[in-house]
Amino acid sequence: MTEETQRQFSIQRIYTKDISFETPNSPEIFMQEWKPQINVNLNNAVKDLGEGNIEVALTVTVTAKIEDKTAFLAEVTQAGIFLAQGIPEEEMGPLLGIYCPNTLFPYVREVVSDLIVRGSFPQFLLAPVNFEALYAQQVQQQKQAEESAEH
């Protein structure tokens, strides 16, 4: 007879894992009209820490350029340690790919905004992210890659 593990999911800790801010063309960039091209990249990484503990790290990179010159580059990795025990395998993907990034996003959004303002640039707020759609897209890409590998 097997003992059924009780389902448990909780946040153990949320922390800033890495921060980088560069203004390679300052102070000259401050003399130009502020009409930047802004590029935002997101990345989500998962690391098994053992005993049901999992680190999820959400990295956001924001690059602002004026013409061909970089005004600033801000990169923040916000991470969390989550305890997941007794969770069926089919539920772990959405938990780690949707719920955890949604939990971390407000923290990373605040840190990125604060860094940019501290760099003496106008306030920048990251737009809300639909992690459910991103996760669905990732699952679809994995299926397509597996199907093409089979042929």
Side-chain angles (χ1 to χ4, degrees), residues 5-112:
T5 307
Q6 189 171 349
R7 292 170 64 110
Q8 184 179 2
F9 185 80
S10 61
I11 300 168
Q12 301 298 304
R13 180 175 301 238
I14 292 178
Y15 54 98
T16 302
K17 188 168 184 162
D18 189 27
I19 294 178
S20 173
F21 185 79
E22 300 171 34
T23 58
N25 292 297
S26 62
E28 293 80 12
I29 203 77
F30 297 121
M31 305 311 290
Q32 294 185 307
E33 186 178 1
W34 185 245
K35 288 189 178 179
Q37 297 169 328
I38 296 183
N39 185 30
V40 178
N41 285 317
L42 290 169
N43 187 25
N44 190 33
V46 176
K47 180 179 179 183
D48 187 349
L49 303 174
E51 298 180 15
N53 290 295
I54 301 166
E55 179 191 59
V56 177
L58 178 62
T59 301
V60 175
T61 306
V62 180
T63 308
K65 289 188 174 191
I66 297 177
E67 296 170 12
D68 63 340
K69 291 184 179 174
T70 300
F72 67 78
L73 179 113
E75 185 171 81
V76 176
T77 300
Q78 191 73 35
I81 298 174
F82 300 87
L83 177 65
Q85 294 178 325
I87 309 289
E89 190 64 35
E90 64 273 7
E91 293 178 26
M92 286 301 289
L95 204 57
L96 300 174
I98 300 169
Y99 176 79
C100 294
N102 269 327
T103 301
L104 297 171
F105 187 76
Y107 296 93
V108 77
R109 183 181 190 197
E110 180 182 8
V111 174
V112 167

